[in-house]
Amino acid sequence: MPTRRFIYQNVLVLVALLLLVLSGCGAPTATDAAATDATGEAVAAGDAHEADHAHDELSDAAGQTAELPALRAVPLAAGEKLRVVATTSIIADVVAQVGGDLITLATLLPLGADPHAYTPTPQDLRTLNEAQVIFINGLGLEEALLPVLENLDNGAPVLSVNAGVEPLSLADEHAHEEETGEADAHGHTGADPHTWLDVANVQRWTETIRQALSALDPAHAGAYAAAAEAYQATLEALDQELRAMAESLPPEQRKLVTDHNEFAYFARAYGFTVIGTVIPSLSTLAEPSAQELAALQDQMRAEGVSAIFVGTGVSPSLARQLAQDAGVELVTLYAASLSAPDGPAPSYVELMRHVMQTILDALAGGSTYAGN
């Protein structure tokens, strides 16, 4: 029969073993220790689960500024290029500046299409399912595409170019009192997706894209870094150019009325004030009430506004009627999509110059509100 001392010693041994097992459950394995973030050259196979299921978290991404998930290198055959999809023409242009001829790039939305309302075609579905990485805005801009992006078959990572960008919210933009900044009827959470209208945000995009392409295609990481560095210099010069252009107009004339809430980043970066929007929402799918339109008309009268600005992908009917009633100019510009190659905004850099020059021309030479 075992003695008390023998039993006591065995109990101590069992307790010690149990503590070791419990402490080991949270310890990193050798595979985990090999993992790196999106800037690294190698990612553990265990992190593939996170990358493969990145699109499952798209609905929760709006308004977040999380960094990129861990990414693993894509096995590419000799001479094979990384297959990349970008949702909008603006995102695609920035991706092209970093990826160049080293990637095969497809743009999902046609030029001029409204990303808020775009319905993917069967060819779009094939393109998405053949992609090895998909770059999206990630702040609710592609609201109509979310069901598709969340249910892809190939498990390709779906990455937001706005990772790390601090988004503005409806509250930040002094929206109408009835808007709370919570999700509205069109699925918005209050995070403004129009980040590209501040060049500093696209500089952050560029670094995010470089990190992602380098992690997925580490053999060309050096080339991606060199291209990103050159483009960053271009963007820095563009930002300074736009600031100088804006300063040519007196601050009291830098007043904007737009089709929907899309120019808050532009206004903050370059010293403008958004007086109001025809559609008091981040989405073009919303509809203003008669009271909202009347209030905007009164605000325009009080501020002496000279123009209403409408993006090329937006139906201008409401804005046109308001402009006629107000006796001001209706100005169309490329703000959410590039133009054709022979148009005024064939690249992101040219788009920003076009936006600034078009606004300055209208505000400097346009007539003031007819009621003044």
Side-chain angles (χ1 to χ4, degrees):
M1 183 173 182
T3 65
R4 289 184 178 179
R5 182 177 181 181
F6 177 81
I7 294 173
Y8 180 73
Q9 288 175 334
N10 283 345
V11 169
L12 289 178
V13 170
L14 289 173
V15 170
L17 288 173
L18 180 60
L19 290 174
L20 285 172
V21 170
L22 291 175
S23 65
C25 291
T29 64
T31 301
D32 293 332
T36 66
D37 65 12
T39 65
E41 298 294 327
V43 176
D47 287 324
H49 176 80
E50 182 179 357
D52 290 345
H53 292 82
H55 55 79
D56 293 335
E57 301 173 359
L58 288 176
S59 296
D60 299 324
Q64 302 300 311
T65 58
E67 299 298 326
L68 289 175
L71 299 171
R72 61 175 176 177
V74 174
L76 298 172
E80 183 183 5
K81 298 181 179 181
L82 189 70
R83 296 189 299 276
V84 182
V85 171
T87 50
T88 72
S89 57
I90 294 173
I91 295 174
D93 184 61
V94 181
V95 172
Q97 302 304 318
V98 180
D101 294 335
L102 298 174
I103 63 173
T104 299
L105 178 62
T107 307
L108 200 62
L109 273 67
L111 294 177
D114 182 358
H116 294 284
Y118 182 71
T119 301
T121 67
Q123 179 58 48
D124 293 335
L125 299 180
R126 287 191 291 270
T127 299
L128 288 168
N129 276 304
E130 292 172 357
Q132 291 165 317
V133 61
I134 301 165
F135 287 103
I136 68 171
N137 177 282
L139 293 177
L141 184 75
E142 304 97 340
E143 54 195 305
L145 292 172
L146 284 181
V148 173
L149 295 172
E150 291 171 345
N151 293 282
L152 297 177
D153 298 329
N154 62 354
V158 180
L159 306 178
S160 169
V161 292
N162 282 306
V165 171
E166 191 66 37
L168 293 173
S169 68
L170 286 175
D172 295 328
E173 298 167 15
H174 307 287
H176 291 255
E177 291 182 1
E178 66 268 24
E179 303 227 19
T180 65
E182 300 298 325
D184 63 21
H186 303 286
H188 286 292
T189 62
D192 188 338
H194 307 91
T195 56
W196 63 88
L197 289 171
D198 179 350
V199 175
N201 289 331
V202 175
Q203 290 180 288
R204 180 65 182 131
W205 286 18
T206 302
E207 175 59 14
T208 294
I209 293 164
R210 182 202 66 77
Q211 291 179 7
L213 295 182
S214 297
L216 295 166
D217 182 18
H220 295 110
Y224 296 137
E229 182 179 4
Y231 192 52
Q232 291 283 17
T234 298
L235 293 175
E236 181 62 30
L238 172 66
D239 188 57
Q240 296 304 315
E241 176 185 348
L242 295 175
R243 293 179 187 279
M245 292 173 69
E247 289 174 1
S248 69
L249 189 69
E252 61 271 16
Q253 290 183 252
R254 299 179 207 160
K255 298 175 181 179
L256 301 176
V257 173
T258 60
D259 48 42
H260 70 295
N261 285 339
E262 60 182 332
F263 275 89
Y265 294 99
F266 179 89
R268 183 183 66 173
Y270 304 112
F272 289 77
T273 300
V274 179
I275 299 303
T277 59
V278 178
I279 302 173
S281 173
L282 295 173
S283 173
T284 57
L285 302 180
E287 294 184 3
S289 66
Q291 292 83 358
E292 288 168 334
L293 290 175
L296 177 57
Q297 194 165 345
D298 290 341
Q299 183 73 8
M300 291 170 62
R301 178 184 295 111
E303 298 286 349
V305 170
S306 61
I308 299 175
F309 298 96
V310 180
T312 53
V314 179
S315 173
S317 55
L318 280 174
R320 181 182 295 112
Q321 184 61 53
L322 183 61
Q324 289 175 352
D325 293 342
V328 301
E329 185 180 6
L330 183 68
V331 180
T332 301
L333 45 68
Y334 287 89
S337 168
L338 301 184
S339 69
D342 59 350
S347 69
Y348 170 71
V349 170
E350 291 302 318
L351 177 141
M352 290 301 294
R353 288 181 179 136
H354 158 77
V355 167
M356 182 64 79
Q357 192 62 61
T358 301
I359 287 174
L360 293 179
D361 289 345
L363 297 185
S367 61
T368 57
Y369 192 92
N372 281 359

